[in-house]
Amino acid sequence: MNYTLICMLCGLYAVLARDKEQKGKYSVPVLNVETQQLVLNASDSLLLSCRGRWEVAWLFPSGLASDQVQVEEFRCGRTKRQYCSRVTVSHSQAQHTGRYRCQYRHRPIRHASVYVYVADSQQPFAVGPGRSPDVLWMKERQPLVIPCRVTHPSVVTTLVKFPNQRMKPDHVNILWDSKQGFTIRTPTLNCTGFYFCQSIIDAVTHNSHNYYVHRTVTEIKQVSLNSSGSVRALKGERLVLNCTATAALNTRVNITWDYPKKNKNIGSISKTLVRHPTHLLFYSILSLPRLQRSDRGLYTCQVCSGDNSKQANVSVTVYDRPFIRLKPRHGLVMEATAGEKSYKITPKLKAFPVPQVVWLKDGKDAAKQCSRYRMENSSLVIRDVAEEDAGKYTVLVRIQEHGLCQNLTFTLKVKVSPQIGEKAASLQDPGSVPRGSRRSLHCTSHGVPPPHIQWRWHPCSSNGLPAAPQA
Ligand SMILES: *[C@@H]1O[C@H](CO)[C@@H](O)[C@H](O)[C@H]1NC(C)=O
Ligand SMILES: *[C@@H]1O[C@H](CO)[C@@H](O)[C@H](O)[C@H]1NC(C)=O
Ligand SMILES: *[C@@H]1O[C@H](CO)[C@@H](O)[C@H](O)[C@H]1NC(C)=O
Ligand SMILES: *[C@@H]1O[C@H](CO)[C@@H](O)[C@H](O)[C@H]1NC(C)=O
Ligand SMILES: *[C@@H]1O[C@H](CO)[C@@H](O)[C@H](O)[C@H]1NC(C)=O
Ligand SMILES: *[C@@H]1O[C@H](CO)[C@@H](O)[C@H](O)[C@H]1NC(C)=O
Ligand SMILES: *[C@@H]1O[C@H](CO)[C@@H](O)[C@H](O)[C@H]1NC(C)=O
Ligand SMILES: *[C@@H]1O[C@H](CO)[C@@H](O)[C@H](O)[C@H]1NC(C)=O
């Protein structure tokens, strides 16, 4: 009886213990090595195993080819409820140096890792010299890493900038980490160029791969669309917009379009890059095959590079059909005054597509009749208005390709202020006239509208000179 109770308690304890183990342990997978790093000799074998509560997966250094590694997976633990994975690299090489990471397949953020150095005195750099240099993009004020990792933690290296500038770690701006390479903390413009790392082992000089450091530039000089202001088009027509971004050399840009039907995936975009000795030109061409009324709106071309951005926009109007709307602005009868510097006849005109406009004066081409007549957009401008400018002015508006035509005729009156002809012809003093005789006086006058003529008499003063007028 007592014996059974103890056994029951034991069993209960075992169950509780297992649950505890299940909950707390293996929240991350566990590796069979407890150190942060391992140092192997080249051609040693590397054996790693990983255990976890769920299925695990590995991430290996990029220098380890998949046929150089063997992975075995199996269930493990007392009740085979755990997942184990064993990795074997039977003949390790310098380029296998790097981080080996074991992670849960469904939650890669839960992981364990170890950094493995595969020491090789013939090959101190994990990435051997290659033909073409790696391109590194440098951003100002952001650390620049020259990734010449080494195969043993105590390898001593020097950073060399072509042709022969040698830099040693100074713990301030130039840092060394055997797992990463060199870091230049705050690179400046003069940091662009060719670099490699150098290590001297047993009096033999070893050079790393070459790195070409470029400066990342994010300078957008200008963005423009090939139609400024607004675009007008007819329904069914094709719309093509050309966005041009001018940027400093070495700049990379992203060009995005925003327009009414963007979300419906209507419209195709093509891109080109043209290099000039002093700048780059990026083109992005948006085309919509058949315009609908619903395509009207704002079209924006947004150009981004790093933190910089610039945009250009254009508003697009779509008309159902071609049209001409022609109306007088203030009535059909107009009045100008002779001697005015200029007079403008401006009808109200709206039309699409752009119409031809012709002005007639009394039925004949106005511009051909008089050099003082000039067209300004759809208006007619008369310079130095004269009496003979009075007449009928007709504006003809035509869109030939669509067979549309309208006209409007204005009547222009020109006021002329009255002139006395005799005054211009330096009228002779009529002189003295014998008392009782008959004498007629003439006054010729012209004006538009015709002037009224009124005569007034002024008695002479005693000295024979005219006195102040008297009505
Ligand atoms: C690697 O080789 C060196 C001698 O070449 C030896 O001293 C060292 O113990 C070896 N290391 C390992 C981990 O086998
Ligand atoms: C860049 O110039 C600064 C100051 O002139 C100098 O200290 C630094 O070593 C230069 N760096 C390189 C990579 O030439
Ligand atoms: C439109 O883009 C092309 C590049 O495909 C370019 O050559 C051309 O000059 C651009 N046209 C205009 C008017 O901007
Ligand atoms: C813009 O440029 C494209 C391509 O170069 C051209 O097809 C289109 O007609 C141009 N659009 C305008 C409004 O000039
Ligand atoms: C362009 O956009 C992509 C993703 O939207 C981003 O990863 C990339 O850094 C951008 N490039 C530049 C030059 O801004
Ligand atoms: C369109 O571009 C102009 C300048 O070209 C800018 O002032 C305006 O804010 C832009 N409109 C929109 C909606 O982005
Ligand atoms: C002609 O019309 C355009 C826009 O319709 C306007 O910008 C331009 O100033 C006009 N030209 C003259 C000389 O009035
Ligand atoms: C002006 O329009 C009318 C119809 O509205 C037409 O009968 C007349 O011929 C047109 N005049 C000219 C000069 O085209």
Side-chain angles (χ1 to χ4, degrees):
M1 173 70 182
N2 273 356
Y3 178 75
T4 7
L5 180 65
I6 289 167
C7 274
M8 277 173 67
L9 284 173
C10 284
L12 185 63
Y13 179 76
V15 168
L16 285 174
R18 201 181 64 224
D19 277 0
K20 191 165 167 224
E21 180 187 85
Q22 290 273 313
K23 280 216 179 80
K25 255 190 170 175
Y26 300 119
S27 61
V28 295
V30 173
L31 286 171
N32 65 330
V33 283
E34 298 200 331
T35 51
Q36 304 265 312
Q37 63 187 48
L38 286 177
V39 183
L40 303 182
N41 281 335
S43 82
D44 286 355
S45 9
L46 169 64
L47 266 173
L48 288 174
S49 53
C50 182
R51 172 190 291 245
R53 229 198 299 174
W54 298 285
E55 279 186 81
V56 297
W58 292 89
L59 286 183
F60 299 124
S62 54
L64 181 66
S66 57
D67 60 349
Q68 294 173 319
V69 61
Q70 232 184 317
V71 180
E72 297 160 76
E73 290 179 350
F74 50 94
R75 301 297 286 261
C76 52
R78 231 183 319 140
T79 51
K80 298 267 183 274
R81 297 179 78 163
Q82 292 164 358
Y83 295 82
C84 280
S85 182
R86 187 161 45 218
V87 160
T88 314
V89 180
S90 42
H91 197 80
S92 62
Q93 299 165 25
Q95 66 263 31
H96 300 161
T97 298
R99 190 164 292 284
Y100 289 72
R101 169 169 155 154
C102 171
Q103 63 194 28
Y104 280 133
R105 217 178 268 279
H106 71 298
R107 278 186 92 177
I109 191 127
R110 302 239 166 138
H111 66 271
S113 71
V114 60
Y115 195 92
V116 177
Y117 294 92
V118 182
D120 183 344
S121 57
Q122 307 300 308
Q123 198 178 323
F125 296 103
V127 180
R131 276 213 199 109
S132 58
D134 275 356
V135 174
L136 304 176
W137 291 98
M138 178 194 103
K139 290 194 182 109
E140 275 177 86
R141 300 184 301 276
Q142 281 185 30
L144 169 69
V145 176
I146 314 284
C148 54
R149 307 181 285 124
V150 289
T151 58
H152 191 281
S154 54
V155 169
V156 177
T157 52
T158 305
L159 178 61
V160 185
K161 184 179 176 205
F162 205 78
N164 53 16
Q165 186 186 355
R166 306 176 72 79
M167 290 172 267
K168 289 209 177 288
D170 61 5
H171 308 290
V172 181
N173 191 35
I174 299 177
L175 311 178
W176 168 250
D177 180 344
S178 63
K179 298 187 178 99
Q180 278 200 344
F182 280 99
T183 300
I184 301 176
R185 255 198 190 151
T186 47
T188 48
L189 288 186
N190 63 350
C191 290
T192 57
F194 272 101
Y195 288 81
F196 60 89
C197 302
Q198 194 170 72
S199 173
I200 299 170
I201 297 172
D202 301 332
V204 180
T205 302
H206 299 270
N207 289 343
S208 75
H209 193 72
N210 286 326
Y211 299 96
Y212 182 49
V213 175
H214 253 306
R215 182 164 70 106
T216 311
V217 186
T218 60
E219 190 190 333
I220 307 166
K221 292 173 192 250
Q222 204 204 340
V223 175
S224 62
L225 283 165
N226 68 333
S227 48
S228 54
S230 67
V231 170
R232 306 193 299 160
L234 284 177
K235 200 163 109 183
E237 281 182 348
R238 180 187 176 82
L239 174 70
V240 182
L241 293 175
N242 196 353
C243 179
T244 307
T246 313
L249 293 177
N250 286 335
T251 303
R252 293 284 168 278
V253 303
N254 275 343
I255 303 185
T256 49
W257 287 90
D258 238 326
Y259 54 97
K261 293 244 190 95
K262 180 192 172 129
N263 294 333
K264 298 205 173 117
N265 270 328
I266 292 174
S268 60
I269 294 168
S270 68
K271 292 178 178 175
T272 38
L273 164 64
V274 178
R275 286 171 206 279
H276 286 265
T278 54
H279 62 277
L280 300 175
L281 282 178
F282 296 88
Y283 294 109
S284 178
I285 296 175
L286 170 71
S287 45
L288 272 72
R290 287 178 60 81
L291 282 176
Q292 303 295 315
R293 256 182 102 75
S294 47
D295 287 313
R296 42 204 174 143
L298 197 67
Y299 286 65
T300 304
C301 164
Q302 173 102 30
V303 182
C304 298
S305 181
D307 296 337
N308 295 328
S309 80
K310 278 205 167 83
Q311 61 112 313
N313 62 51
V314 68
S315 78
V316 172
T317 311
V318 182
Y319 295 111
D320 282 337
R321 60 185 72 85
F323 67 93
I324 298 175
R325 281 199 289 271
L326 180 64
K327 281 196 293 187
R329 201 167 285 269
H330 316 279
L332 286 169
V333 179
M334 324 180 87
E335 209 171 71
T337 309
E340 262 183 273
K341 269 241 132 344
S342 84
Y343 189 83
K344 194 165 171 178
I345 310 176
T346 309
K348 260 190 186 170
L349 173 63
K350 278 200 175 154
F352 189 78
V354 176
Q356 295 156 276
V357 178
V358 175
W359 279 93
L360 305 179
K361 160 97 193 290
D362 298 324
K364 282 181 254 160
D365 190 324
K368 282 187 188 143
Q369 267 186 61
C370 179
S371 64
R372 292 182 295 107
Y373 300 161
R374 180 168 55 87
M375 270 183 58
E376 206 178 271
N377 286 343
S378 59
S379 307
L380 182 77
V381 179
I382 303 169
R383 196 163 33 88
D384 298 323
V385 178
E387 188 179 351
E388 72 256 27
D389 295 332
K392 298 224 178 285
Y393 290 84
T394 305
V395 57
L396 299 178
V397 179
R398 198 159 46 204
I399 304 174
Q400 202 140 23
E401 66 268 37
H402 295 286
L404 292 179
C405 182
Q406 279 202 21
N407 67 60
L408 202 57
T409 300
F410 297 87
T411 303
L412 182 70
K413 295 183 172 170
V414 178
K415 279 194 291 185
V416 180
S417 47
Q419 304 279 330
I420 295 171
E422 287 73 7
K423 227 173 146 183
S426 69
L427 182 73
Q428 300 287 311
D429 186 341
S432 47
V433 177
R435 185 190 296 247
S437 69
R438 193 184 178 93
R439 174 80 189 233
S440 62
L441 292 173
H442 290 274
C443 174
T444 332
S445 157
H446 177 69
V448 181
H452 303 286
I453 298 178
Q454 213 176 14
W455 286 93
R456 292 182 192 181
W457 176 72
H458 309 274
C460 291
S461 64
S462 54
N463 59 12
L465 292 175
Q470 263 175 23

